[in-house]
Amino acid sequence: MDKHVKKLQGITRVAGAVSGEALVTSEKLSHLVNAIGSDGVIRMNGHPLKGQSYAGKIIVYDTDIFSTGGALGLYFKSRIKQTGPLALICRRVHPISVGGAVDAQIPAVDGFDQDPCQEIKSGDLVRINAPEAGGEAIVEIYPAGTGTPSGDTGQWSGPSKPVAQKHRIWPQDSLKLTFYEEEMLYGKHGRAKQAAMERLVEFGQGMASKRMVPICSAHVFSDWKNYDLVIGSWPLYEEFAALGAKVAVPTTVESTVMADELVHDQGMPWHYQVMMPAGEVYAAMRPVHEALKDMGVQVIPTCIPYMHLTPPRFGEFHVTAESNHAAYANIMLGARVNRDPANMVFYAAITGIMPEYGMHLAENRRGQMLFEVAPDLLPELQDVGDYVALGGAIGFRAVDRVPVVLGLNHLSNEQGKAFCACVSPALTYPMMHIVGVTPEARTMEEAFGGPIPKDVEPISIGKQEIRELFHNSRQTDRQDIDVGVIGCPFLTFQELAGLAELLDGRTVKKRLWLYTDYVFYSAAKKAGLLARIEKSGARVVHSCCPGMIIRDASAAESLVYATDSLKVARLMSGIGWPKNWLGTRRDVVNAAITGRFEPSRWL
C-alpha cells in the first residue's frame, strides 16, 4: 500500500463498494429537499458546505439532523435524479440515513477507530469496501495531490490487497423472523409485501435488530409528482400501488402542499410568491394522494395524528415519518416510537412490522443527562412559544443523549406538543423524561433506570438560556415582516380558540397564516372560531405544511417571516427560503398587526 494512504476500520451499515472524491464536514446534515436540493446543492442556513454540491461525491459528516424525510431525499436524489452522493461516511449513521441508503443503493459506514471527519479532507480520494451489514468496513484515503491508485477509473476495483473480514460487530443472522414474516419475505403473500420485507430486512440488518415488532399504526409522508422541490416519496408510492399493495395497519398521511377545496382561494399561502401556479401543483398532488388512497391510507393530511386519528397508548409500537409525533408519543404517552426513516415507515405500513431498534428498547430510553428548570423561570412560561424555546434549549444541549427534566410538574397537550417539537431541529433521538409527566418517569430514579449515575451533573435551564435560544435563532436585522406563521406543528382546537381571543377586535397589517388540519379546522368552523379569526384578516390554513409551499427561490430569500415555530425557523431557512424571526405566539400576532417584529419578552 502507498505510504501516503491512510486506512480506517469501521462498521458496515449498508453494504457496498465504491471509490470517489470526498466532501467533508464535521457538522450534521439532512438529505431533506429543504436542506439539500434535488440538484444535490447544500442549502442549509449557516452550514460550512452551504452552496456546494455533494452529487457524485462521498459525503463525510457527523450524523443526520432534521426530518425523517431525509431518507426519501437521499433515495430520490440518488436513484431518480442521479444527483446524490456515492456513499455515506459518518461518525454515526443515523437510522434515517441507514434507511435512505437502502433505497439509494449506496454504502453507509460508521463506527471508525478514528474520527473520519478529521482524517478525511475534502478532495481526498476515498475507497470503501463494506461487504456485509454488521461486518467490518475498510476505508482507504488517498490524500488530494498524491495521485490515484494505479488504474483507478473512479469505480471500485477492489483494494490493493484482499480484505479479510477480521471480525463482525454483530452476527450476520442476528435478525430472526417469524414463520409469517419469512412467508412475506419469500413472496407467499404477494410481491408488494415481499419487496417491502426485503428492504425492511436490509434496514434491520444495518441497525443490528434481533427481531421485528408488530406496529399499531403508521404515518407516511405526502408528496407531489415533480422532479424539483419534492419530498421524494412519490416514485415509491407509484411502484407499490402498481403492485397492488395494501396497508396492514391504520395509516395516516403527513401534511401536504395545499387543501383540496381551497386551491383557488387567493388568500392561501400557495398563491403567494410561488414558483408554479396552484392549479398545476394541485394536479401533481392529486395522483399521489389517489395512489395512497388505493393502498388504504387515510388521506386526511396532518402532522399531529396522535391528537385524534391514531392516538398511541403506553407501550405500543408505532412508526412515523413525523418527528414531533415520535417525540410526543414517547415523552407524553409512553409509546415506543423512533424517528423512523420515512421510506421504512411506508414498508412497515404494508407489512405491519418494523425492525426493533432505538427507542423500542428499554435500555435506549433511559436518561443520560439531568436538566433542572430554574424555579424563577416557571412563572415566565406563559406562552406556547416559551415551551418551544424551553424544549430547544434542552435539546441543543443534549443533542444525542436522553435528557431527564426536573421542575415541570404538569404540561397541557398544547404545551407538551410545543416542548416536544424541538426534536427535529435540535434533539437527535425522540426521547426525554419529564419527571412527573412522562409515564416512565414517575421519579427521577425511574427515569434513569436506577440510581442516578455519579458522572451526571445537573444543568440549570433558566431565563438566560431561553433568551439565548431566541437570540441565536435570529436570521435578520430587518424588523419589518412580510408574513406571520403559526402552527408548525399544527394547531389544536384549543390553540385556535386562544388565537381567536388574541385577534378579536384587531386587524392584521401583514399576512398571518394559522396552520391546522382538517379535523380541527372543521371543529373550529362549526364553533364559529374560524369566522372570528378571519374577521381580523388572518387566514386559517388546513392540511398544508408551511415547508411544502413551492416558493420562487429568489423572491423567497427577500422575505422576512415571524414565527413561533423552531421547526420553521431552523428547517425552513437557507438558500431559497425566507429569513425568520423566532418569537412567542403573542409577539408573532402583534408583528402581523403592526407589520414589525418587536419582541416584548426575552430581550
Side-chain angles (χ1 to χ4, degrees), residues 120-132:
I120 307 172
K121 309 299 181 186
S122 289
D124 289 351
L125 174 69
V126 173
R127 306 179 73 174
I128 300 173
N129 185 29
E132 295 175 342

Side-chain angles (χ1 to χ4, degrees), residues 435-584:
V435 177
V437 174
T438 302
E440 298 158 83
R442 292 169 294 182
T443 65
M444 190 160 52
E445 290 73 18
E446 191 174 42
F448 280 101
I452 302 169
K454 293 180 180 179
D455 61 346
V456 171
E457 294 289 337
I459 299 169
S460 178
I461 300 293
K463 297 178 185 179
Q464 181 60 31
E465 287 70 28
I466 302 302
R467 190 176 296 113
E468 288 174 357
L469 187 284
F470 281 111
H471 178 77
N472 292 339
S473 299
R474 173 178 174 174
Q475 297 166 11
T476 181
D477 291 325
R478 195 185 107 195
Q479 290 184 278
D480 293 332
I481 71 158
D482 299 289
V483 178
V485 172
I486 296 175
C488 180
F490 278 166
L491 297 165
T492 65
F493 179 86
Q494 287 75 16
E495 288 176 296
L496 288 167
L499 283 159
E501 289 186 12
L502 273 178
L503 289 163
D504 275 342
R506 307 170 82 184
T507 301
V508 298
K509 185 176 181 180
K510 297 292 184 178
R511 292 171 179 82
L512 177 60
W513 293 320
L514 312 178
Y515 290 82
T516 188
D517 60 28
Y518 187 73
V519 175
F520 287 127
Y521 178 91
S522 300
K525 185 176 182 180
K526 180 75 172 177
L529 296 177
L530 199 63
R532 284 173 59 193
I533 289 170
E534 297 198 333
K535 187 177 180 180
S536 71
R539 296 303 308 271
V540 181
V541 184
H542 77 75
S543 303
C544 170
C545 171
M548 290 186 73
I549 303 298
I550 317 304
R551 304 233 177 272
D552 175 80
S554 58
E557 289 179 13
S558 67
L559 300 175
V560 173
Y561 282 14
T563 183
D564 64 348
S565 168
L566 190 61
K567 293 186 72 173
V568 169
R570 293 298 178 113
L571 274 69
M572 301 164 204
S573 64
I575 297 174
W577 294 94
K579 307 296 188 296
N580 295 298
W581 285 98
L582 179 67
T584 64

Side-chain angles (χ1 to χ4, degrees), residues 38-39 75-84 227-228:
S38 294
D39 55 1
Y75 149 75
F76 190 80
K77 284 185 273 284
S78 295
R79 304 302 301 168
I80 307 301
K81 293 281 287 183
Q82 282 76 53
T83 56
Y227 290 90
D228 192 10

